[in-house]
């Protein structure tokens, strides 16, 4: 029962909340979608927190994504022990980097008066789930070696089954490691709280900057297409004001 | 030819009395809010001085603006690659202490202090943390400190002067200063817009005002770094960047921006310039010594039939073209060649032009007497109190001839008017000065009039946005029928 709750109900609830909540917040509350940077109030310690944390998270995120999408490639890569070792060590290093960064960020928030002023309740929640997520991840990597090989047997089928709406939880519920279960549960928790926290900021990663032109001009008032009070359906409402 | 309209500005520095009324007018309307207390969209600096935020002109520190990159230009500290690489921590961004920690006073203490032997005091408290602070700097901390060690001598515009020249400047008898009021330049090639990864910043097509869409800003803060004038600010409370909006709601209803309207010295002029947008890229990438001339070339003659034809083809309203023809800015910048852009070497093509201050630049002191006669003025341009190289570093990317030309023209007007009203100078002396800058009496009189006697409507020629249509520029009025209209539809609360 508890397994159903944690590995079927929670994922679906989280994903639903994530989808609806994020779209709603993006569309209706654009003013509240922000990375809420506090560098302006304190910049030096932030560097030693934000950089290791984000770069760690960045590589871990893509590592997980690749493992999920192309499990057979990863297993093939791991065919040679040296390669396996390289993969696992670098994963562990990125995890440590993220954890160190996170510690610095938390320390900074607790000690700097100015940053304290802009800290809210949801920031505390964010720090707690991130700590859980990263520590449980490192724990799994260390004590349940070698995750990059066994995940294909346990986790990929489970995660796939969730996404094809045919939940198969045997594999995951028979895993007798609390840390693995915790890692999965807290991952879905993070997904669920994205719309209610500063996590929204990575959904708006400005990748389109790479192909947009540098300068932007917006015409509010296209004289040829202006709407009149008689015919207000004509013309397009400008989207950038 | 791609003709567009730009609402452009001229500040006449000889007339600025440094009263900061402009700053206060702006503060009262726009930045008297939590998170914005430290922002002065309009600020007035003393030059020589370090300004606000401190040393903003030094792009070795802040990496703002554009730099020449082969035949083209690139952003100095931001841009596609550098911006996305530094997105987790922006290394060149000024922080609160580079501006100042805003404060207020505990006025209540004056009333509630218990009776005692001492006068009660209202101690300063930080507007950020609410705790007591020892005030160590403010937005105009170097006010009037023309020769001071900490401020004037740190001015980066001395870079072209030798040590001896600098020392000579700071001799007590020669010490001088002038004010430099600054707002956003609403540039033609805005670095702030180019640097924003989210595309939240944009230039309005109709009047060229540069704005930040508060709904799309994600607090990556690249614009703060990219603007070489440091006129984009980060609101630490809302997690959004903000900047001067040129009081666009006032402009749209035909009123001058608040800082212009309230200016006590009447130093400010505002009007339309038509420009050829096809040339922006080429002009912004030209060699440094050509920058001023090429930028002034981009603004076209609003009386030229070809320009008018192309302007109409682009949908520019007739009323805007008429406004461009009456523009005081066009006169100062193009016809009379009296106004120069501030730091053109940043290559953003700023639309705020300055008439450099004449007297601190020109006058010399002989035997303790302030000398304003023509001979000594022309004779000793090098021995003047503010060296030409200094002014050139401010207004012409180091080109000394550009500023001395302007100063000579200003001086010619003065001598001409002195001939008319006082009549104590020799005729030949006046005509020599006038001939040198090929100016005739009518032009000199017109410059005199617009400089000293101009009425409100001559100083601010604002193209009508047609009040009835101005709301339609932004919103479909039918959508807002029966509602509160536009403005914030939600409280500016910090996002979760
Ligand atoms: C690639 C996408 C991402 C970008 C561009 C990004 C960018 C940023 C920026 C600019 C800040 C503000 C730092 C400051 O105070 O100046 C920030 C803060 C933060 N980000 Fe990210 N981020 C990304 C991904 C993530 C991810 C994947 C997570 C975690 C799951 C995350 C968690 C956080 C947290 C917890 C903070 C608050 C740090 C603090 O102030 O203590 N970010 N991020
Ligand atoms: S002055 Fe700065 S903020 Fe204003 S338009 Fe130019 S680059 Fe942008
Ligand atoms: S109000 Fe006018 S005169 Fe006074 S400081 Fe501002 S620009 Fe100068």
């Amino acid at each position: 029962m508890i397994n159903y709750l944690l590995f079927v109900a929670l994922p679906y609830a989280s994903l639903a909340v994530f989808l609806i909540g994020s779209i709603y917040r993006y569309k209706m509350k654009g003013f509240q979608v922000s990375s809420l940077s506090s560098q302006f109030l304190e910049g030096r310690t932030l560097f030693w927190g934000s950089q290791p944390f984000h770069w760690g998270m960045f590589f871990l995120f893509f590592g997980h994504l690749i493992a999920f999408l192309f499990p057979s490639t990863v297993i093939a890569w791991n065919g040679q022990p040296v390669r396996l070792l390289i993969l696992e060590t670098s994963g562990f290093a990125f995890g440590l980097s993220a954890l160190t960064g996170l510690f610095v960020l938390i320390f900074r928030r607790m000690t700097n008066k100015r940053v304290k002023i802009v800290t809210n309740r949801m920031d505390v929640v964010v720090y707690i789930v991130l700590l859980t997520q990263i520590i449980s991840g490192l724990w799994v990597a260390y004590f349940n070696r070698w995750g990059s090989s066994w995940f294909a047997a346990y986790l990929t089928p489970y995660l796939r089954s969730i996404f094809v709406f045919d939940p198969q939880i045997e594999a995951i519920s028979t895993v007798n490691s609390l840390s693995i279960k915790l890692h999965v549960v807290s991952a879905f928790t993070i997904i669920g709280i994205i719309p209610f926290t500063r996590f929204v900021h990575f959904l708006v990663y400005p990748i389109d900057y790479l192909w947009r032109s540098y300068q932007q001009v917006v015409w509010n008032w296209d004289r040829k297409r202006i709407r009149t009070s008689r015919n207000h359906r004509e013309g397009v409402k400008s989207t950038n004001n | 030819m791609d003709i567009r309209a730009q609402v452009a500005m001229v500040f006449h520095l000889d007339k600025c009395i440094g009263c900061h009324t402009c700053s206060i007018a702006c503060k009262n309307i726009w930045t008297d809010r939590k998170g914005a207390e430290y922002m002065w969209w309009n600020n007035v600096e003393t030059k020589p001085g370090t300004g606000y935020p401190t040393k903003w002109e030094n792009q070795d520190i802040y990496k703002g603006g554009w730099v020449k990159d082969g035949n083209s230009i690139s952003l100095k500290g931001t841009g596609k690659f550098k911006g996305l690489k530094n997105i987790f921590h922006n290394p060149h961004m000024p922080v609160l202490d580079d501006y100042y920690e805003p404060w207020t006073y505990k006025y209540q203490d004056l009333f509630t202090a218990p009776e005692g032997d001492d006068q009660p005091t209202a101690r300063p408290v930080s507007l950020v943390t609410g705790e007591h602070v020892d005030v160590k700097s403010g937005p105009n901390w170097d006010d009037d400190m023309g020769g001071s060690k900490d401020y004037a001598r740190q001015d980066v515009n001395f870079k072209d002067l030798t040590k001896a020249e600098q020392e000579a400047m700071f001799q007590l008898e020669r010490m001088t200063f002038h004010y430099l009021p600054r707002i956003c330049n609403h540039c033609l090639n805005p670095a702030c817009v180019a640097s924003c990864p989210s595309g939240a910043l944009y230039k309005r097509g109709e009047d060229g005002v540069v704005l930040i869409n508060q709904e799309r800003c994600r607090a990556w803060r690249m614009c703060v770094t990219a603007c070489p004038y440091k006129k984009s600010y980060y609101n630490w409370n809302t997690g959004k960047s903000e900047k001067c909006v040129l009081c666009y709601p006032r402009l749209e209803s035909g009123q001058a921006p608040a800082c212009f309207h309230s200016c006590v010295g009447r130093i400010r002029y505002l009007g339309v310039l038509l420009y050829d947008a096809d040339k922006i890229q080429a002009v912004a990438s030209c060699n440094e010594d050509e920058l001023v001339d090429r930028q002034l070339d981009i603004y076209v003659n609003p009386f030229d039939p070809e320009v008018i034809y192309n302007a109409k083809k682009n949908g520019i309203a007739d009323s805007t073209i008429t406004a461009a023809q009456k523009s005081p800015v066009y006169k100062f910048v193009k016809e009379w060649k009296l106004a120069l852009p501030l730091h053109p070497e940043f290559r953003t093509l700023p639309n705020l032009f300055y008439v450099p201050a004449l007297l601190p630049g020109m006058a010399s002191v002989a035997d303790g007497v302030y000398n304003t006669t023509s001979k000594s003025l022309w004779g000793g341009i090098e021995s003047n109190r503010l060296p030409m190289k200094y002014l050139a570093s401010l207004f012409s990317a180091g080109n000394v001839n550009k500023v001395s030309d302007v100063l000579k023209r200003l001086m010619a007007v003065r001598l001409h008017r002195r001939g008319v009203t006082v009549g104590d100078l020799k005729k030949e002396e006046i005509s020599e000065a006038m001939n040198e800058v090929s100016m005739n009496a009518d032009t000199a009189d017109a410059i005199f009039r617009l400089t000293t006697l101009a009425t409100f409507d001559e100083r601010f020629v604002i193209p009508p946005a047609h009040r009835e249509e101005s709301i339609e520029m932004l919103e479909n009025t039918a959508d807002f029928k029966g509602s509160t209209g536009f403005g914030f539809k939600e409280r500016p609360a910090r996002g979760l």
Side-chain angles (χ1 to χ4, degrees):
Chain A
M1 185 59 209
I2 182 91
N3 280 337
Y4 267 101
L5 254 156
L6 289 181
F7 299 118
V8 182
L10 176 73
Y12 282 118
S14 288
L15 288 168
V17 170
F18 162 67
L19 278 176
I20 298 169
S22 305
I23 293 172
Y24 175 81
R25 185 161 172 191
Y26 183 77
K27 290 254 174 212
M28 311 299 285
K29 300 262 179 203
F31 187 69
Q32 294 191 6
V33 179
S34 161
S35 72
L36 293 176
S37 164
S38 54
Q39 184 181 350
F40 179 71
L41 299 174
E42 197 290 317
R44 221 158 293 178
T45 323
L46 179 78
F47 175 85
W48 297 106
S50 188
Q51 291 282 30
F53 171 75
H54 278 101
W55 287 112
M57 289 306 275
F58 186 83
F59 286 104
L60 288 176
F61 175 78
F62 283 104
H64 283 66
L65 195 69
I66 291 169
F68 170 64
L69 293 177
F70 315 106
S72 46
T73 323
V74 177
I75 288 175
W77 164 274
N78 283 345
Q80 284 177 22
V82 190
R83 295 203 201 157
L84 170 77
L85 211 60
I86 292 174
L87 188 73
E88 285 276 338
T89 335
S90 48
F92 201 77
F94 287 127
L96 278 182
S97 152
L99 187 66
T100 325
L102 190 59
F103 278 138
V104 176
L105 288 172
I106 294 175
F107 173 77
R108 166 175 176 267
R109 265 197 200 256
M110 294 195 331
T111 51
N112 188 292
K113 277 184 215 145
R114 290 178 184 167
V115 181
K116 246 190 211 166
I117 298 289
V118 293
T119 304
N120 58 28
R121 247 174 290 147
M122 277 326 225
D123 286 334
V124 180
V125 175
V126 161
Y127 288 137
I128 293 174
V129 292
L130 280 177
L131 273 180
T132 318
Q133 185 68 13
I134 300 175
I135 293 178
S136 64
L138 287 170
W139 188 282
V140 171
Y142 193 76
F143 292 105
N144 307 67
R145 252 168 271 166
W146 306 99
S148 58
S149 290
W150 59 247
F151 78 97
Y154 295 96
L155 283 180
T156 310
Y158 162 65
L159 287 177
R160 284 253 165 99
S161 72
I162 292 284
F163 285 102
V164 297
F165 298 102
D166 176 23
Q168 303 289 332
I169 62 168
E170 271 99 88
I172 181 84
S173 47
T174 51
V175 167
N176 61 353
S177 152
L178 209 60
S179 46
I180 296 179
K181 288 181 175 170
L182 187 61
H183 196 65
V184 172
V185 168
S186 101
F188 281 114
T189 314
I190 289 181
I191 292 175
I193 63 172
I194 285 175
F196 310 104
T197 55
R198 65 164 355 119
F199 283 145
V200 277
H201 75 276
F202 57 74
L203 299 182
V204 289
Y205 183 78
I207 189 74
D208 55 333
Y209 185 42
L210 287 176
W211 52 83
R212 113 165 183 232
S213 69
Y214 270 126
Q215 297 298 2
Q216 300 209 103
V217 181
V218 168
W219 302 83
N220 290 304
W221 186 22
D222 186 340
R223 289 174 68 78
K224 291 173 205 128
R225 302 173 72 183
I226 186 122
R227 290 162 299 200
T228 62
S229 40
R230 284 238 208 97
N231 184 2
H232 66 261
R233 283 183 194 286
E234 215 163 76
V236 200
K237 191 172 159 175
S238 76
T239 51
N240 206 345
N241 59 49
Chain B
M1 226 189 224
D2 179 6
I3 301 296
R4 294 188 194 165
Q6 170 73 43
V7 174
M9 306 152 273
V10 165
F11 288 3
H12 197 309
L13 293 184
D14 256 331
K15 305 209 298 164
C16 179
I17 58 174
C19 61
H20 299 267
T21 308
C22 44
S23 308
I24 298 297
C26 175
K27 168 114 310 214
N28 279 339
I29 296 185
W30 296 111
T31 58
D32 193 11
R33 292 169 285 123
K34 189 173 175 196
E37 303 96 341
Y38 84 94
M39 296 179 197
W40 295 85
W41 293 355
N42 179 111
N43 77 299
V44 183
E45 290 170 8
T46 299
K47 283 276 152 197
T50 46
Y52 156 91
T54 183
K55 302 191 182 146
W56 63 270
E57 291 158 289
N58 189 345
Q59 304 309 343
D60 293 338
I61 304 177
Y62 293 118
K63 313 270 186 219
W66 302 86
V67 285
K68 196 162 160 60
D69 185 357
N71 284 331
S72 185
I73 46 171
S74 60
L75 288 162
K76 189 173 170 95
T78 52
K80 294 188 178 182
F81 178 69
K82 280 181 247 173
L84 291 184
K85 187 180 80 158
N86 291 332
I87 199 162
F88 306 128
H89 178 274
N90 185 346
H92 312 298
M93 191 184 94
V95 297
L96 185 64
D97 298 309
D98 293 318
Y99 300 82
Y100 73 108
E101 182 159 358
W103 74 91
T104 182
Y105 295 94
K106 278 189 152 172
Y107 296 106
Q108 266 303 317
D109 286 1
L110 297 177
F111 299 98
T112 56
E115 209 175 305
D117 291 338
D118 302 315
Q119 287 274 3
T121 53
R123 285 180 66 189
V125 286
S126 162
L127 281 169
V128 180
T129 60
E131 296 182 2
H132 288 293
V133 282
D134 281 328
V135 176
K136 294 216 182 64
S137 64
N140 59 339
W141 218 237
D142 55 348
D143 231 17
D144 296 358
M145 305 273 257
S148 68
K149 216 183 188 147
D150 292 342
Y151 301 109
R153 290 179 191 223
Q154 306 286 329
D155 190 322
V156 337
N157 296 297
F158 291 131
K159 61 184 185 308
D160 296 340
L161 273 72
T162 63
K163 265 270 158 324
E165 283 173 316
Q166 293 187 24
E167 278 319 305
M169 249 200 86
F170 291 118
Q171 282 163 15
L172 199 56
E173 316 81 61
R174 277 189 65 174
M175 233 181 255
T176 185
F177 63 82
H178 65 86
Y179 298 108
L180 184 73
R182 301 201 297 121
I183 66 172
C184 164
N185 299 289
H186 298 280
C187 308
L188 291 184
N189 184 31
C192 56
V193 174
S195 73
C196 177
S198 305
L201 283 110
Y202 62 100
K203 192 171 179 65
R204 291 215 301 196
E206 289 78 9
D207 50 14
V209 176
V210 175
L211 296 173
I212 302 179
N213 182 346
Q214 294 287 297
E215 304 244 311
R216 284 187 62 177
C217 170
R218 310 290 181 221
W220 311 127
R221 314 166 311 287
M222 292 301 158
C223 57
V224 180
T225 301
C227 172
Y229 301 92
K230 290 293 164 280
K231 281 295 167 191
S232 181
Y233 301 85
Y234 178 68
N235 182 319
W236 54 266
N237 179 48
T238 58
K240 302 276 163 168
S241 294
E242 301 178 5
K243 62 179 286 302
C244 161
V245 295
L246 204 59
C247 286
Y248 72 85
R250 290 173 62 92
L251 278 184
E252 282 166 17
S253 55
Q255 292 170 283
C259 55
F260 286 72
H261 194 126
S262 63
C263 178
V264 173
R266 304 183 179 186
I267 81 157
R268 300 183 174 215
Y269 300 83
L270 181 133
V272 177
L273 290 179
L274 298 180
Y275 67 99
D276 183 357
D278 283 341
K279 289 190 186 158
I280 294 177
Q281 163 102 38
V283 171
S285 338
C286 73
N287 290 331
E288 195 153 296
D289 51 347
E290 300 177 319
L291 264 172
V292 177
D293 287 335
R294 297 279 304 265
Q295 181 182 347
L296 298 189
D297 263 0
I298 210 171
Y299 304 106
V300 290
N301 181 354
F303 297 98
D304 179 346
E306 196 195 338
V307 168
I308 296 176
Y309 169 79
N310 280 293
K312 287 191 175 168
K313 211 171 75 183
N314 264 0
I316 294 179
D318 289 352
S319 52
T320 306
I321 298 174
T322 317
Q325 292 170 341
K326 287 198 219 147
S327 167
V329 178
Y330 186 76
K331 292 194 181 109
F332 271 115
V333 174
K334 290 283 286 188
E335 276 180 24
W336 301 333
K337 302 191 168 34
L338 288 176
L340 297 168
L342 178 64
H343 287 302
E345 72 276 18
F346 297 159
R347 296 175 187 270
T348 61
L349 311 187
N351 286 303
L352 165 51
F353 300 89
Y354 291 87
V355 179
L358 174 65
L359 280 183
M362 298 298 288
S364 61
V365 177
D367 303 329
V369 178
Y370 193 45
N371 203 339
T372 54
T373 55
S374 56
K375 271 283 166 288
S376 53
L377 282 166
W378 298 141
I381 229 174
E382 284 78 26
S383 66
N384 288 309
R385 296 197 300 172
L386 264 190
M388 287 299 130
K389 280 186 196 157
Y390 177 79
L391 290 176
S393 165
L394 279 175
F395 298 116
S396 61
N399 188 338
V400 174
N401 292 338
K402 279 270 156 308
V403 273
S404 64
D405 277 357
V406 171
L407 294 184
K408 283 180 185 172
R409 297 173 75 76
L410 288 171
M411 202 59 215
V413 177
R414 286 215 181 199
L415 296 181
H416 167 74
R417 289 305 302 176
R418 185 161 168 173
V420 173
T421 54
V422 185
D424 63 340
L425 298 179
K426 285 202 209 85
K427 282 236 154 46
E428 304 80 68
E429 200 180 332
I430 297 174
S431 53
E432 192 190 324
M434 299 276 278
N435 287 340
E436 189 176 341
V437 295
S438 15
M439 187 185 288
N440 60 30
D442 286 347
T443 311
D445 285 331
I447 295 173
F448 162 73
R449 231 205 98 74
L450 196 60
T451 306
T452 58
L453 304 171
T455 63
F456 215 81
D457 293 338
E458 287 168 305
R459 283 183 280 135
F460 313 126
V461 181
I462 298 166
H466 300 291
R467 187 137 175 69
E468 71 287 0
E469 288 163 18
S470 68
I471 289 176
E472 283 159 16
M473 281 171 74
L474 291 169
E475 296 291 358
N476 183 353
T477 44
D479 294 350
F480 284 86
K481 215 166 155 186
S483 76
T484 52
F486 46 20
F488 266 109
K489 285 164 272 175
E490 60 189 296
R491 288 181 37 148
R494 190 174 168 81
L496 293 168

